Amino acid sequence: MNTLPLSAEHPIAPIDIRAYALNAALAAQEPLVKRFIAFFTKTAEQEWSPENGAKVVARAWVDPIYRASLLKDGTAACAKLGYAGPQGEYIVVLENTLSTHNVIVCTLCSCTAWPVLGLPPDWYKSFEYRARVVRESRTVLREMGFEPPSEVEIRVWDTTAETRYIVLPLQPIETYGWSEKELATIVSREAMIGVAPIVIK
Ligand code: FE
C-alpha cells in the first residue's frame, strides 16, 4: 500500500530510484543489524538456559510462598529470580501432582519459554514429536525412556504464540531436606518439558 502523499511537491519516484533508496537505507542500518545479531547470539548462548528454570523449580520446592506465586503468575515469579525477556512474556507453570503429569509441545513450530528453558532442543522441534505426543503421549514418553504410572493422567499442553509453559515436576521424596542449590542440579530441561522424570544423581 502506498502511503506517500501524492502531490506536485512529493511525486512518486521511479521504482529503480525507490529501490536504490531502500537499499541505501538498509545498508546504513547494517551496524545496527550486526549489533542485534551479536546481542541475540550472546543472550541465547549465555543467558537463556534450562539452568534458570531448574533454579525456579528448586526455589518452588523449598519455598511454599514462592511456589504459590509461581503457580499464580509464572511470568512475575520467574522475573523475580531475574529470568525474563523475549518468549517469556507470559509464562504459565504446570504443576505435576501424584495424579497428573504435564507435557509441553508446540504443534505449530518449536516454541519454548526462552528465559527459563532456553532454545528448544532438536527433538522438540521434530515433526514426529509434535505430531505424535498429542495423539499417543504415553507411547512417545515410553520411547523417550519415561513411563509415568498407568493411573497418572497425562495432560499435553500446546504452546501458543503468547503462552509459554514450564512443568513444575514433583520433588522426589528422597530429596526432601536437600538445599535449593543441590535440588537445582537434578532438574533437567526434559523434566521441565515433561518428557523425563527427575533423576537423582
Ligand atoms: Fe512454536
Side-chain angles (χ1 to χ4, degrees):
M1 190 174 71
N2 175 30
T3 55
L4 288 173
L6 285 171
S7 70
E9 292 165 51
H10 301 285
I12 292 291
I15 195 163
D16 54 340
I17 301 287
R18 281 187 278 155
Y20 179 83
L22 181 60
N23 190 47
L26 288 173
Q29 296 296 318
E30 191 183 345
L32 189 67
V33 173
K34 278 187 175 164
R35 279 208 304 277
F36 175 78
I37 291 172
F39 163 78
F40 195 88
T41 305
K42 178 174 173 282
T43 307
E45 288 176 351
Q46 296 174 19
E47 292 181 28
W48 295 329
S49 161
E51 289 176 13
N52 300 344
K55 288 174 187 164
V56 169
V57 169
R59 174 69 60 89
W61 282 349
V62 300
D63 182 343
I65 294 171
Y66 181 78
R67 180 192 188 91
S69 71
L70 183 67
L71 295 172
K72 190 176 175 193
D73 185 344
T75 314
C78 290
K80 197 176 172 189
L81 297 194
Y83 312 130
Q87 313 302 316
E89 293 91 348
Y90 187 58
I91 297 173
V92 173
V93 179
L94 307 168
E95 182 185 32
N96 284 350
T97 67
L98 289 171
S99 58
T100 306
H101 178 81
N102 299 287
V103 181
I104 304 169
V105 65
C106 177
T107 56
L108 188 64
C109 45
S110 58
C111 303
T112 53
W114 291 350
V116 285
L117 286 178
L119 298 181
D122 287 344
W123 59 261
Y124 184 87
K125 295 186 272 189
S126 72
F127 186 73
E128 190 181 1
Y129 176 76
R130 288 158 44 209
R132 292 182 59 221
V133 78
V134 176
R135 289 184 314 216
E136 42 181 342
S137 46
R138 203 168 273 280
T139 305
V140 171
L141 292 188
R142 189 183 312 123
E143 289 170 9
M144 296 178 85
F146 181 30
E147 290 199 55
S150 56
E151 67 274 18
V152 172
E153 180 196 358
I154 296 176
R155 286 189 194 158
V156 181
W157 299 74
D158 194 3
T159 302
T160 68
E162 292 82 25
T163 308
R164 301 303 161 93
Y165 299 107
I166 174 173
V167 174
L168 175 57
L170 275 174
Q171 181 180 358
I173 294 171
E174 305 91 300
T175 67
Y176 285 7
W178 284 25
S179 72
E180 188 178 332
K181 204 172 175 182
E182 284 174 305
L183 288 169
T185 66
I186 61 169
V187 183
S188 67
R189 175 180 61 190
E190 282 67 25
M192 292 182 284
I193 293 176
V195 297
I198 294 291
V199 178
I200 302 170
K201 296 163 189 168

